Every structure is written in C-alpha cells, then in structure tokens.
Amino acid sequence: MKLVTFSTGGDLRVGVVDADEVRDVSGLLPAGADVLQVIEDWAQWGPVLAERPPSLPAFALDDVRLHAPIPRPRRDVFCVGKNYREHVAEFGRSGYDQPDRSETLPEHPVVFSKATTSVTGPFDDVLAHPGVTSELDYEAELAVIIGRGGRGITREQAFDHVWGYTIVDDVTARDLQRRHKQWLIGKSLDTHCPMGPYAVSADEITDVTALQVESCVNGEARQSAPVKDLIFDVSELIATISAGITLLPGDVIATGTPAGVGIGFDPPRFLVPGDVVEVSITGLGTQRNRIIDTEGES
Ligand code: MG
C-alpha cells in the first residue's frame, strides 16, 4: 500500500494511492490521525485501509499537494554515512572528511541524524540558505520506516520491524559538515530532508536489495546504484542502531547514498538556486525539488 499525506488547500489528510489517484482515507481513521499513527497501529488500520470502499473521495495525484508522508517525525531521522563503496571513495578523495583523503571503508556503520524540522515535501522547494552555506549537495537514499519498535533487534528479526520504505534526499551543506565535525548542523538545515512521495508498505517490495537508487540534477543523471551495494545492509543497520537504542514505530532510517554526489566531481558541482534535483527508487516513486534562494520565491 502506498500511503501519502496530502492536502487540497486545507488540513493534512491521509491518502492511499491507487494508480494515479489518491483516495482520502481520513474518514476511516480517528479524527486527526496521521500516517505516523496509521503505521504505529498498522495491525488495526492496515486491514481497514486495505478494505477501503470505492465511495471514498478520490483526487487525481496531479490535483493535490503531496507532503512528506511523515511531515514531522517523532524524532530526528537516523542516517547512515559512507555506506556505498564508491561513495566512500569519492568522499575520501574530496578531502571533506579527513585531510589524509582516506578511502578506507568504515568498519562499523557511521550513524548520524537530521533534525525533524529539516523534513519537507517531495515536491517542495529546497532552500539554498545563502549566508549559511555555499556548498549545497544532494544525496539520494532509500529510507526504511520502522513499524514495530524494539531494542536488541537481531539481524534475523530485523525485517519483522520494518513497516516499509520511502525516499529521502539527505541534502547536505558540505562546508558546515566539514567545519563542525559532527554532522548534525550540516545535515539539518530547514527543508534539507525532502521525503516521499509515498510511504510504501514492505509487502509491496519483494526484494529491497534489488531496488535501484537514482538521482539527476537538471535532467542529468548523477547517481545510480542498487540497494544490494550497501556496505551495511538494512538488517545490519537495524541491529546496530537498536542494540542499545529503542527503535520506535515511525522511525526513519536513511540508509546512505551511492556515488555521484556533487563533491564527487573535481571541481565539486554544488547545487545553486534554480537547479532541480530528482530522486527515484524502483517502486517508491520520484521526488523533485527545486533549489531556491529565498522562501516564497516563485
Ligand atoms: Mg547521506
């Protein structure tokens, strides 16, 4: 099932996408319920939404505004750095992380987070934040959405805790990432976490490792790699994070980005206002975000 958070000018609604239509299922849910609540109580609401009657209000996808499926996660988005071999190499060569330009693969997952306030919609504008950063970059990523929470989840149990998947562009201010050492600030500027368009339940994805993660900038292909190229796979990430931290329903884990980001080029190709970044993953749709200087710019 493809869940969306959408609006048609008013309140945020919960929708289920069928082909090119959004069916408004908010009427089947408790007043004010959002996608996060649906995921948290999936055993209850999954069957109700699966049985959605055809009489529910429906809208053409083109006629609604799609928001991030989880517009305000309950806490920061977990992220994983340096999780595709070729990206580790390009990041190492860039000198952004270590002055010795090491291309050594990490021995353990590199886990950091993005602030909840960085989350924005799949087709919303991304702010360039002039005066704050001048080195804006994109990172196409598969994101895992946790269903059943837990601590001490083993590799073998990991997929029992996965509700489904979405797309995240882990937009990064490289100068801030480098300057502040810890990555939180460089990864968390407002609008720097486009999410969606859909939250896709795991039953729709037969083999997550077969999904292809792709990005392009202004129509030019930049990144393309299958999820099977992850150094630390989805099971390993869940086991590592949950070893001592309780994962909660609705937690989002962005699994890392393939090679082809802006700092991978020499000279680097940073994003500038007017650029359009598209990120696609097999079965999860495409997000498209324009970089703008200032909020409210048309
Ligand atoms: Mg990333």
Side-chain angles (χ1 to χ4, degrees):
M1 196 179 303
K2 289 186 174 73
L3 296 183
V4 291
T5 299
F6 76 100
S7 62
T8 56
D11 295 342
L12 298 186
R13 314 286 293 174
V14 177
V16 175
V17 173
D18 294 313
D20 52 1
E21 271 192 345
V22 181
R23 214 158 276 280
D24 185 347
V25 295
S26 288
L28 303 176
L29 303 168
D34 56 12
V35 168
L36 187 57
Q37 191 174 335
V38 169
I39 289 170
E40 180 160 23
D41 297 323
W42 187 241
Q44 179 179 1
W45 299 116
V48 172
L49 300 191
E51 296 283 305
R52 58 193 175 278
S55 56
L56 291 173
F59 304 88
L61 261 177
D62 288 343
D63 291 343
V64 304
R65 178 178 174 198
L66 292 182
H67 301 260
I70 304 174
R72 277 294 171 267
R74 160 184 284 139
R75 61 175 169 186
D76 288 3
V77 173
F78 289 98
C79 298
V80 182
K82 303 189 202 177
N83 205 17
Y84 286 82
R85 283 178 181 75
E86 286 304 311
H87 174 64
V88 172
E90 71 177 355
F91 195 57
R93 282 194 302 272
S94 76
Y96 265 75
D97 193 31
Q98 294 153 319
D100 63 358
R101 297 180 185 254
S102 164
E103 296 177 30
T104 309
L105 299 182
E107 289 178 34
H108 304 282
V110 176
V111 181
F112 60 95
S113 70
K114 292 174 90 74
T116 58
T117 41
S118 65
V119 173
T120 196
F123 304 107
D124 289 349
D125 293 334
V126 165
L127 294 172
H129 293 278
V132 179
T133 176
S134 57
E135 299 188 347
L136 196 60
D137 210 346
Y138 52 89
E139 295 192 351
E141 307 200 9
L142 168 77
V144 175
I145 303 171
I146 296 296
R148 189 155 56 83
R151 181 157 60 95
I153 300 167
T154 64
R155 276 188 62 88
E156 292 68 32
Q157 300 165 329
F159 281 97
D160 299 338
H161 293 263
V162 172
W163 177 85
Y165 305 95
T166 190
I167 300 173
V168 158
D169 182 355
D170 177 18
V171 178
T172 304
R174 297 292 179 201
D175 40 5
L176 300 183
Q177 182 184 26
R178 178 178 49 195
R179 186 186 310 155
H180 295 278
K181 310 300 180 198
Q182 297 286 328
W183 296 358
L184 181 73
I185 294 178
K187 295 285 191 174
S188 293
L189 301 187
D190 288 2
T191 72
H192 284 192
C193 187
M195 184 192 293
Y198 318 121
V200 179
S201 55
D203 58 288
E204 288 214 3
I205 305 297
T206 315
D207 177 9
V208 71
T209 67
L211 305 186
Q212 193 77 10
V213 179
E214 299 184 319
S215 72
C216 64
V217 177
N218 304 328
E220 179 192 323
R222 293 289 182 88
Q223 299 178 279
S224 183
V227 170
K228 72 173 168 49
D229 283 1
L230 284 175
I231 298 171
F232 303 104
D233 64 14
V234 169
S235 300
E236 191 67 31
L237 298 178
I238 289 174
T240 299
I241 295 170
S242 75
I245 298 174
T246 300
L247 281 173
L248 302 172
D251 274 346
V252 176
I253 305 171
T255 56
T257 204
V261 299
I263 52 160
F265 293 88
D266 186 13
R269 299 175 72 179
F270 295 118
L271 297 169
V272 295
D275 283 348
V276 174
V277 181
E278 288 177 282
V279 179
S280 305
I281 299 180
T282 328
L284 305 185
T286 298
Q287 54 176 232
R288 186 177 304 103
N289 302 90
R290 190 174 53 125
I291 310 300
I292 63 163
D293 242 333
T294 312
E295 226 152 352
E297 194 180 275
S298 62

